[in-house]
Amino acid sequence: MAQITASTGGNTAIQGEKVSGPWRDAWRTFRKNKIAMIGLIMIVLFVIIALLAPVIAPYDFKAQELGDRLKPPSSEHWFGTDDLGRDLFTRVLYGARISLWVGTFSVIGSIILGTILGILAGFYGKWIDMIISRLFDILLAFPSILLAIAIVAILGPSLQNALYAIAIVNIPTYGRLVRAKVLSLKNEEYITAARAIGMKNSGILLRHILPNSLTPIIVQGTLGIATAIIEAAALGFLGLGAQPPAPEWGKMLSDSRQFIATAPWTVVFPGISIMLTVLAFNLMGDGLRDALDPRMKN
């Protein structure tokens, strides 16, 4: 009976271990972090707002009523109106779409290009590493916002070109991160064993190197969305991002800066929207770092 009990207990333990896993454990750790969960909930809310903006918004974001210009917040216009009589609540809702779109897809582009270049540099080394690393050094030699301004000035002011510029200036961040990870992985014993059984380099990269490099990419990508949103707002503020009548938060701040004293609500609500969105991604990114980094676990 003792042996049967021991055997049964062992099977139970094994079954329990099957339920566990690195990603499941990371999710459990993440859920215990209340601040990170608050960030996740805020992001979900902003995504819902962005998706349902046409349903939630009480007005057309382009509709102008000059007779209602610069009206303070009221039951008719919850966030007030701007200098052209447009409903600020509606424009802030639609602005969430633009900011999340630019932030997400610019980071995805940076991750894809940066990961490819980082893997090539770290895995193959030699002259490939030298060329790619020098390219990263050149891009990092310029302040990111100045380089983004230069790229948009060359391509022309538009939201799409702002997205391209933000993606380009952030490539070195992910490329150097992946390169460092690959350098630490390619000499591991399981990589040596994979080479010994005749696995090709492409198989090693796709089945071993890339999956084990995902953790820092996910964490940096989450934090990078917050940075990209700020950069998009900065380009919009300078008139190099979204063009009128697009309701981009940075452009809204730029258009309303002359009314800070007389109509502060025209600046406050877009500014708060940028702050809350960036804060949410930073909170979630910190939580992901704590959950996915083994060094942060007790």
Side-chain angles (χ1 to χ4, degrees):
M1 289 295 292
Q3 293 178 350
I4 294 175
T5 303
S7 176
T8 304
N11 290 336
T12 303
I14 292 173
Q15 292 176 356
E17 291 177 358
K18 289 181 180 179
V19 175
S20 180
W23 294 105
R24 188 181 295 271
D25 292 341
W27 170 242
R28 290 171 180 167
T29 303
F30 183 85
R31 283 190 305 175
K32 294 177 182 178
N33 190 331
K34 295 181 179 179
I35 296 179
M37 287 300 297
I38 291 174
L40 176 60
I41 293 171
M42 291 171 63
I43 291 172
V44 171
L45 289 176
F46 274 109
V47 171
I48 293 174
I49 288 172
L51 293 175
L52 299 181
V55 178
I56 301 173
Y59 300 95
D60 182 355
F61 71 87
K62 295 180 291 185
Q64 301 181 16
E65 292 291 341
L66 296 180
D68 293 335
R69 62 189 305 270
L70 298 179
K71 279 194 171 182
S74 63
S75 58
E76 184 180 1
H77 300 284
W78 291 359
F79 289 179
T81 61
D82 62 8
D83 59 315
L84 296 176
R86 295 173 297 192
D87 182 66
L88 276 178
F89 178 70
T90 299
R91 292 180 63 78
V92 167
L93 292 181
Y94 276 93
R97 280 187 160 192
I98 295 176
S99 293
L100 291 176
W101 181 76
V102 172
T104 302
F105 284 97
S106 63
V107 167
I108 290 175
S110 298
I111 288 176
I112 292 174
L113 295 175
T115 299
I116 293 173
L117 293 175
I119 287 178
L120 292 176
F123 190 78
Y124 291 102
K126 299 181 180 178
W127 63 270
I128 297 179
D129 184 17
M130 183 186 69
I131 293 175
I132 294 176
S133 295
R134 296 298 77 76
L135 174 63
F136 290 163
D137 291 339
I138 292 172
L139 291 175
L140 290 171
F142 300 93
S144 59
I145 188 62
L146 292 181
L147 182 58
I149 290 173
I151 294 173
V152 175
I154 294 172
L155 298 178
S158 71
L159 184 62
Q160 186 173 1
N161 290 340
L163 188 153
Y164 294 153
I166 294 170
I168 291 172
V169 300
N170 288 307
I171 287 175
T173 301
Y174 302 96
R176 297 183 74 177
L177 185 67
V178 173
R179 176 183 176 273
K181 189 67 176 179
V182 172
L183 288 174
S184 66
L185 289 174
K186 71 175 185 179
N187 294 321
E188 294 287 340
E189 293 181 358
Y190 63 88
I191 300 297
T192 305
R195 286 197 179 99
I197 62 175
M199 183 176 289
K200 296 181 179 179
N201 287 338
S202 59
I204 294 174
L205 290 173
L206 294 176
R207 297 182 59 181
H208 298 293
I209 299 293
L210 182 58
N212 286 287
S213 303
L214 288 178
T215 296
I217 295 175
I218 292 173
V219 175
Q220 186 59 43
T222 306
L223 298 171
I225 293 176
T227 303
I229 290 174
I230 293 177
E231 291 173 344
L235 291 174
F237 186 86
L238 297 173
L240 298 174
Q243 299 300 302
E248 198 274 324
W249 291 336
K251 181 61 176 173
M252 292 169 66
L253 289 175
S254 176
D255 294 339
S256 304
R257 65 184 185 276
Q258 58 183 319
F259 306 111
I260 293 178
T262 57
W265 57 86
T266 59
V267 177
V268 168
F269 292 110
I272 290 178
S273 300
I274 296 173
M275 184 270 291
L276 290 178
T277 308
V278 172
L279 176 64
F281 278 103
N282 282 333
L283 292 178
M284 192 178 79
D286 289 340
L288 286 175
R289 180 196 60 198
D290 296 343
L292 294 175
D293 191 345
R295 295 171 297 179
M296 303 298 294
K297 298 179 181 179
N298 296 325

